Amino acid sequence: MWNQVEDALNESVKQVITGVAHMLPGVLALVVALLFSLVLAWIIGHVLRRSLRGIDFDQRLASWGFSGLSDWSPGKSPALLVSRIVSWGVVLVGLLIGVAAFDATLTSQLVMNLFAYLPNLLAAVVVLVVGNVLARFLARGVLIGAVNMNLHYARLLSLGVKWLVIVLSAAMALNHLGIGGRIVDLAFGILFGGIVLALALAVGLGSKDLVSRSLEKQTVRMEEEKPEAFHHL
Amino acid sequence: MTARRGKEKEVVDEARAVEAKESLERIGQAAVVIGLGAAGGQEAVRRAIQRTGDAVRPLVEGRALIVHSDATIPDGGCVGEEDRVRLLALPLPEVDRLAGIGQGAGDPFRALFDVCRKVGGKACALIGSELESISGGSIQGLVRPLMEGSCDLAVPYYRQQKLDGLINSGIVYPLTRALYGKRIRYPLTTDIGASAKYIERFSMPERKNGRMATLAWLPVRAVCAGMSVSQVRVDLKPPPAKGNPDLSSTLSLVLDSMFLEMDRNAAVWQKVRGSQAVVTQGETKVEAEESAAVEVHKMVDSFQMGYRNLVDVWGMALTPAAMLELKKLTRLPEEQFRMPDEVWVRVVYDFALAHRFRVMSRDHLLRAMTPAYLAWVASYILEVRGAGPRMVDDRLERLCLAYEANKPYLLSRWRWPDRFNP
């Protein structure tokens, strides 16, 4: 009986050792792939960051109207953001290569699914980023315009525009990702409708005094408009 | 409908240009060319032609040519009995105060320069001011120094009320003076007299961002090219800007153009220190006092509201010290509301630098300056209230000296933007 126990133990130890021995090259390959990808990511990130700074990427981006992106970037530098995204992309590819060393079938399925989903993910990210930049740009434009028109609710107006664009872009991004299905559409419809209704109610009821005063001022101004005693140009 | 009309107008203009070319060949040589660029009715054009003809006749020995916009007057006709002042109807692009700045449809200056070169003129003058304001004295004032060869460019010194042209008084004149070192009172002008040398230098069209650039800031171009400029006191009345743009649009257009010109001429103005007077001719007339006191509370309100709402936007352009000064201003009661010259100059310089380094959309940046500009206007109006012309001139002189005194600050930040600037 002891012989049988010993055999069974030997067999299990052998199986475990064989399993570990089978796994070891994979683990080693994973570690090597990860280390290699980390080094490569660091080099690529470093070179990319230097190159982007060399061409004044941050300033160019700001001049193209994407100055809002710097607020969302580490160290307020879009060049740093881009280099980090590329670096992490390289690390992700290294991880996938490492995982492929364990089970090629699993990885290929994973990669296939990942790549099939990637366009949606990218589109969602682009929609979010563009939506955010656009929201800030429009909000600033509305704020400046409203202040120059002496509207006392300039900041409120600007915030309203900003959040409308952000909510719209978030709904579009979720739609691209396929998250939430019709719930997102419904929720967005309800939210957007709610905002418009709230604004209408605010103007119609809550701010009626404000609006009437503003309109009254405008009417009086138009009635009493007389030539200015000074000229800017 | 509008597009079709525009097309029809283009076709008519082209036909007139061809006719004008043939007429030019018939007219031959002319010593002086005067262009009347402002729009006006037939009668106004004819009266302006008559006054211009009478004024220019004694100045030239040979022929003079008046270019006008009235197509009903036959080309080659003359003013008066003598055959010395000839007429040419040419569709010059209408002179608009902001068209040259905002890259408008065409360039009246270059169109006239072209005519002047074709007839071998020694000088030409373009009068973009309102036709009714054209007087013999103004025409002679602009043309005489060119005929005498005493300058390359003659620009008008408009006789304005103390509260007219506030953008010019608060920004354009003092900044141009501090940058380029010449005291040209109206650097942004619709009327000029140019010598053959100036015409030769600036008649070639330039391209800017792939489009033909119109000629703006003519006196600045002359100064940068090392040419001599003189001023002539005239009674001309510059036309209002087309389309009656609001203050923030006007300010944005003028400053954008000015800051771009500043960028273009950086190599020149960085070497300039102080300023020199330019020759100014013509009589000084004492201006009438303004009748009603101007209320400034709306401007002060606009500034205070601007500070409350645009603090983040201003913070991207202004230094913390300037922001602190503006904050102090918001707490002042209306009767004590005064913006120190140094603060205003720093604000203008900071906005010029922010424009150069594109800290945000340039249109947003310059429009955001409107409340700060209104604060300066309010302060200036309060200071010159009841002041005579001499006191107003002294006040502006102090402002100009502040611009000049703070130029090293601009220069330093222009060259080394990353240096610490509290």
Side-chain angles (χ1 to χ4, degrees), chain B residues 63 107 120 176 186 214 242 357 387 406:
Chain B
R63 271 185 185 161
D107 191 338
T176 311
Y186 294 94
T214 52
K242 256 187 198 171
F357 298 116
N406 281 280

Side-chain angles (χ1 to χ4, degrees), chain A residues 63 148 150-151 155 230-232, chain B residues 163-165 167 302 309 373:
Chain A
S63 69
N148 286 340
N150 278 335
L151 299 179
R155 195 168 276 274
F230 60 95
H231 300 99
H232 295 289
Chain B
L163 298 185
D164 282 345
I167 294 179
S302 294
N309 290 289
Y373 164 74

Side-chain angles (χ1 to χ4, degrees), chain A residues 230-232, chain B residues 162-163 166-167 170 247 290 293-304 329 332-341 344 369-386 395:
Chain A
F230 60 95
H231 300 99
H232 295 289
Chain B
K162 65 183 176 188
L163 298 185
L166 290 170
I167 294 179
L247 173 61
E290 85 270 25
V294 180
E295 292 295 331
V296 297
H297 67 268
K298 274 186 200 165
M299 297 179 214
V300 176
D301 278 354
S302 294
F303 166 66
Q304 287 171 339
L329 264 182
L332 290 178
E334 196 181 302
E335 60 277 10
Q336 291 170 18
F337 193 85
R338 299 286 185 280
M339 183 186 262
D341 286 345
W344 172 237
M369 195 180 163
T370 311
Y373 164 74
L374 285 175
W376 176 81
V377 171
S379 165
Y380 177 74
I381 289 174
L382 290 169
E383 279 182 72
V384 300
R385 186 174 275 175
R395 177 68 197 84

Side-chain angles (χ1 to χ4, degrees), chain B residues 14 18 24 75 107 117 124 126 132 135 159 162-163 169-170 242 268 273 350 362 413:
Chain B
E14 260 177 46
V18 172
L24 261 183
D75 283 343
D107 191 338
R117 287 178 72 192
C124 86
L126 178 64
E132 294 298 343
S135 66
R159 290 191 179 105
K162 65 183 176 188
L163 298 185
S169 302
K242 256 187 198 171
V268 176
R273 298 284 180 277
D350 283 347
R362 284 176 164 174
R413 286 198 60 201

Side-chain angles (χ1 to χ4, degrees), chain A residues 35-70:
Chain A
L35 281 176
F36 184 73
S37 63
L38 277 171
V39 173
L40 195 67
W42 184 82
I43 293 169
I44 290 176
H46 186 69
V47 170
L48 193 64
R49 196 165 56 242
R50 289 196 66 143
S51 311
L52 290 176
R53 281 187 179 158
I55 59 165
D56 288 331
F57 182 72
D58 295 355
Q59 279 181 22
R60 278 170 197 265
L61 210 64
S63 69
W64 296 333
F66 294 101
S67 53
L69 201 63
S70 59

Side-chain angles (χ1 to χ4, degrees), chain A:
Chain A
M1 194 185 112
W2 280 111
N3 283 340
Q4 283 173 339
V5 171
E6 197 180 330
D7 285 347
L9 272 173
N10 283 339
E11 192 61 33
S12 64
V13 168
K14 198 174 156 188
Q15 274 179 7
V16 169
I17 289 171
T18 313
V20 170
H22 271 120
M23 260 182 70
L24 259 181
V27 172
L28 203 64
L30 174 68
V31 171
V32 169
L34 257 182
L35 281 176
F36 184 73
S37 63
L38 277 171
V39 173
L40 195 67
W42 184 82
I43 293 169
I44 290 176
H46 186 69
V47 170
L48 193 64
R49 196 165 56 242
R50 289 196 66 143
S51 311
L52 290 176
R53 281 187 179 158
I55 59 165
D56 288 331
F57 182 72
D58 295 355
Q59 279 181 22
R60 278 170 197 265
L61 210 64
S63 69
W64 296 333
F66 294 101
S67 53
L69 201 63
S70 59
D71 296 339
W72 291 80
S73 308
K76 299 232 167 202
S77 164
L80 203 61
L81 179 74
V82 170
S83 64
R84 284 203 182 160
I85 287 172
V86 172
S87 299
W88 282 109
V90 172
V91 172
L92 186 71
V93 171
L95 189 70
L96 284 173
I97 292 168
V99 172
F102 285 107
D103 187 350
T105 333
L106 175 76
T107 317
S108 66
Q109 273 179 359
L110 197 71
V111 169
M112 289 286 280
N113 289 339
L114 197 68
F115 275 95
Y117 196 63
L118 209 58
N120 291 340
L121 193 71
L122 279 176
V125 169
V126 168
V127 166
L128 265 183
V129 169
V130 171
N132 200 275
V133 171
L134 194 69
R136 282 159 182 269
F137 182 83
L138 290 176
R140 195 165 57 205
V142 168
L143 178 68
I144 293 168
V147 166
N148 286 340
M149 288 167 76
N150 278 335
L151 299 179
H152 286 275
Y153 41 89
R155 195 168 276 274
L156 188 71
L157 208 61
S158 150
L159 267 178
V161 168
K162 183 178 170 179
W163 282 104
L164 271 180
V165 179
I166 287 179
V167 166
L168 183 70
S169 60
M172 282 166 70
L174 285 174
N175 214 0
H176 268 290
L177 292 173
I179 297 170
R182 289 186 57 78
I183 293 174
V184 174
D185 295 345
L186 271 172
F188 174 71
I190 292 165
L191 190 64
F192 199 82
I195 290 172
V196 172
L197 189 67
L199 279 175
L201 283 174
V203 173
L205 299 170
S207 313
K208 67 178 182 184
D209 292 340
L210 186 79
V211 173
S212 62
R213 270 203 307 273
S214 176
L215 290 174
E216 202 175 297
K217 266 187 197 169
Q218 190 75 28
T219 318
V220 171
R221 201 183 300 157
M222 281 168 76
E223 279 171 4
E224 291 177 356
E225 206 159 280
K226 48 188 178 189
E228 297 271 29
F230 60 95
H231 300 99
H232 295 289
L233 194 62

